[in-house]
Amino acid sequence: MTTTPSRPTTSAPASVPSQDGSGSTTRAAGRVGPLVGSAAAEARAHLVEVLDARQQGRSLPGAAYTDADLHELDLALLWQRQWIFVGTVAEVPEPGDYVTVELGTASVLVLRDDDEEVRAFRNVCRHRGARLVEEPKGSVGNIVCGYHRWTYATDGRLIHAPQLAPVEDGGVDPACLSLRTVHLREVAGLLFVCLAPEPPDDLDTLSRTVAPYLAPHALGRTKVAAQVDLVEAGNWKLTMENNRECYHCEGHADLVCTFFPTWGLADHEVPPRLRAAHDRYLLAEEGLHLACEERGMPYAPVEDLVEPPLGFRIQREALDGHGESFSRDGSRLVQRLLGELDEARLGRLTLHAQPNLWCHAMADHVVTFAVLPLGVDRTLVRTTWLVHEDAVEGVDYDVDSLTEVWRHTNEEDAAFVGLTQAGVADPAYEPGPYSVAERQVDDFVSWYVARMREEVSR
């Protein structure tokens, strides 16, 4: 397995703005931790004002992207209540392998136990609350707290607590001190967690819908070829909004070698200058549909982006050039195809799930993107490239070539997000109208407004 260093790289530094785009003064950005008491009530009232101020077909008021207290409400009302994508089964291939994910002040430990079941726990010792695992990824035999050596098995059971009084002497039963569990579900190799006591029940709908699309790519038989953490200098919603449109894709020189620039446009919306590219896309789509039908692979779009707590969209679409992968000419990047696939020219299967996932599955590899908020104006984008478990680096694939397009594209997107964060913090900012190519951005923002209204009214 080849991975990049575990610590994230950072794009241009961001500063916390002094005013939001709607003209009201931004609340204190230096406070750390959940809102309580009158501060929480004030922030909730402000959130409702901001949601009410949003106009359909336009972006959010500036405070939604810049106000530190509203960001805390994002974490409390959305990120700690919805299903969140945290990685793939390929990231924890062996017993004891783990990844950690930070959701605001909450840390989640995802690991494969000794019976090879993937579990998730709160990353907090049951003794005096010390953080158990500090590294973002690794492998353990048991989980040992570095403070007083309380030791947990990989299934979360407390198996050793030095000098803790035995039950027969009035001590606490160790069975009552297991690690606190977190809801975890696997969907065709993708891992989701939910911190809420009673998670939303719509993950079953997502699973039933997307599993047949992902099945041919056999994520359970992949390995991590590379992983890159990039910190964008922007609010997490700007990162997601940027991903939901290709209006800006002419700024991605590497991506447009294979990504048709008319993505998101209906036929009658294609401008004359993009007509040739769109005609090429329609021809490639016709060939892709035939190849999918011959193999019994679903390809039609399924979209439910606004109503459910876990809004999603999935579709298999054609790629330009050779139509095989995200390379400079569209040819495959990995010689060993995924699963039992017998054809490289199968375009890209794209899944988008809100609040924090998008991924592309080609015949030769899968690339996943996890968006995780680090602060009101800082967002981690974790990009992971998966290849067949038997593919050999240097023989079947080259890591630099495999990652080139999305490394460059991510860096360019980080710059766009940083520019937008600076702009929405400017007193002159007013939400502008979306173009026809930004329908899915509008859907994402509408989904966000609906979720926050639901949660703040509880």
Side-chain angles (χ1 to χ4, degrees), residues 64 70-79 236-237 448 452:
L70 296 190
H71 177 69
E72 289 298 327
L73 289 178
D74 279 2
L75 296 174
L77 302 180
L78 196 152
W79 286 84
W236 69 273
K237 296 186 287 294
Y448 168 79
M452 295 302 282

Side-chain angles (χ1 to χ4, degrees), residues 18-91:
S18 60
Q19 286 190 319
D20 66 31
S22 61
S24 61
T25 302
T26 298
R27 286 161 173 75
R31 181 188 45 73
V32 175
L35 293 161
V36 296
S38 60
E42 182 184 355
R44 283 171 175 258
H46 188 219
L47 172 62
V48 172
E49 292 174 0
V50 170
L51 298 177
D52 287 345
R54 193 256 171 168
Q55 299 179 48
Q56 192 76 27
R58 293 176 181 256
S59 51
L60 290 160
Y65 306 107
T66 62
D67 188 304
D69 286 352
L70 296 190
H71 177 69
E72 289 298 327
L73 289 178
D74 279 2
L75 296 174
L77 302 180
L78 196 152
W79 286 84
Q80 298 189 10
R81 293 186 182 180
Q82 308 293 334
W83 287 103
I84 305 297
F85 171 68
V86 292
T88 66
V89 292
E91 294 172 62

Side-chain angles (χ1 to χ4, degrees), residues 11 230-233 242 409-419:
S11 59
L230 175 69
V231 177
E232 297 187 348
N242 176 73
T409 301
N410 285 353
E411 290 166 2
E412 292 156 357
D413 278 332
F416 289 136
V417 169
L419 289 172

Side-chain angles (χ1 to χ4, degrees), residues 400-422:
D400 287 341
S401 299
L402 177 67
T403 61
E404 179 185 22
V405 167
W406 283 108
R407 278 189 291 108
H408 292 172
T409 301
N410 285 353
E411 290 166 2
E412 292 156 357
D413 278 332
F416 289 136
V417 169
L419 289 172
T420 310
Q421 182 71 30

Side-chain angles (χ1 to χ4, degrees), residues 322-398:
H322 288 277
E324 298 174 351
S325 200
F326 281 116
S327 61
R328 288 187 176 273
D329 62 0
S331 61
R332 69 165 73 174
L333 291 161
V334 184
Q335 294 308 305
R336 181 69 186 258
L337 299 183
L338 298 172
E340 304 302 322
L341 291 173
D342 63 347
E343 169 60 51
R345 189 180 171 84
L346 292 173
R348 63 181 175 94
L349 171 66
T350 297
L351 169 65
H352 166 88
Q354 292 154 183
N356 78 321
L357 162 70
W358 68 89
C359 75
H360 302 292
M362 284 65 64
D364 67 335
H365 77 281
V366 176
V367 56
T368 67
F369 305 80
V371 173
L372 298 166
L374 300 178
V376 65
D377 56 3
R378 296 174 70 243
T379 299
L380 172 67
V381 178
R382 174 165 293 161
T383 307
T384 306
W385 288 263
L386 306 175
V387 299
H388 192 287
E389 60 186 357
D390 294 330
V392 178
E393 182 181 352
V395 176
D396 295 307
Y397 67 96
D398 173 78

Side-chain angles (χ1 to χ4, degrees), residues 125-435:
C125 184
R126 294 298 306 276
H127 178 210
R128 287 171 54 187
R131 182 70 75 229
L132 287 167
V133 178
E134 295 184 277
E135 295 299 319
K137 67 183 74 171
S139 187
V140 295
N142 292 312
I143 305 162
V144 182
C145 179
Y147 196 1
H148 300 96
R149 313 302 294 175
W150 280 37
T151 302
Y152 303 86
T154 53
D155 61 5
R157 289 178 296 112
L158 177 65
I159 57 176
H160 181 61
Q163 302 172 39
L164 186 67
V167 175
E168 53 269 28
D169 292 342
V172 178
D173 184 352
C176 299
L177 295 171
S178 298
L179 295 180
R180 293 182 60 192
T181 59
V182 173
H183 296 287
L184 180 142
R185 290 282 304 275
E186 177 193 340
V187 177
L190 305 174
L191 299 175
F192 295 82
V193 301
C194 182
L195 295 176
E198 297 294 333
D201 59 6
D202 59 338
L203 191 64
D204 290 334
T205 301
L206 174 84
S207 181
R208 285 193 299 271
T209 304
V210 308
Y213 285 78
L214 288 166
H217 302 273
L219 268 64
R221 293 161 52 198
T222 62
K223 65 177 182 181
V224 177
Q227 188 171 76
V228 172
D229 282 357
L230 175 69
V231 177
E232 297 187 348
N235 185 270
W236 69 273
K237 296 186 287 294
L238 294 179
T239 297
M240 293 299 292
E241 291 172 23
N242 176 73
N243 172 259
R244 289 297 74 211
E245 48 91 359
C246 212
Y247 195 31
H248 69 283
C249 282
E250 289 180 277
H252 293 312
D254 295 282
L255 186 62
V256 295
C257 292
T258 52
F259 200 97
F260 287 100
T262 55
W263 185 81
L265 293 178
D267 190 75
H268 68 279
E269 296 167 343
V270 175
R273 65 186 179 83
L274 296 178
R275 176 52 62 182
H278 190 61
D279 289 344
R280 199 165 62 248
Y281 164 75
L282 294 174
L283 186 62
E285 281 284 276
E286 185 178 341
L288 173 65
H289 294 172
L290 180 60
C292 290
E293 288 165 2
E294 289 174 344
R295 292 164 178 78
M297 297 169 60
Y299 58 83
V302 180
E303 180 177 303
D304 199 356
L305 287 170
V306 179
E307 296 300 325
L310 189 60
F312 73 97
R313 185 183 195 280
I314 192 166
Q315 183 179 11
R316 194 178 300 278
E317 297 178 272
L319 288 170
D320 207 351
H322 288 277
E324 298 174 351
S325 200
F326 281 116
S327 61
R328 288 187 176 273
D329 62 0
S331 61
R332 69 165 73 174
L333 291 161
V334 184
Q335 294 308 305
R336 181 69 186 258
L337 299 183
L338 298 172
E340 304 302 322
L341 291 173
D342 63 347
E343 169 60 51
R345 189 180 171 84
L346 292 173
R348 63 181 175 94
L349 171 66
T350 297
L351 169 65
H352 166 88
Q354 292 154 183
N356 78 321
L357 162 70
W358 68 89
C359 75
H360 302 292
M362 284 65 64
D364 67 335
H365 77 281
V366 176
V367 56
T368 67
F369 305 80
V371 173
L372 298 166
L374 300 178
V376 65
D377 56 3
R378 296 174 70 243
T379 299
L380 172 67
V381 178
R382 174 165 293 161
T383 307
T384 306
W385 288 263
L386 306 175
V387 299
H388 192 287
E389 60 186 357
D390 294 330
V392 178
E393 182 181 352
V395 176
D396 295 307
Y397 67 96
D398 173 78
V399 170
D400 287 341
S401 299
L402 177 67
T403 61
E404 179 185 22
V405 167
W406 283 108
R407 278 189 291 108
H408 292 172
T409 301
N410 285 353
E411 290 166 2
E412 292 156 357
D413 278 332
F416 289 136
V417 169
L419 289 172
T420 310
Q421 182 71 30
V424 298
D426 192 296
Y429 166 68
E430 292 181 358
Y434 293 129
S435 72

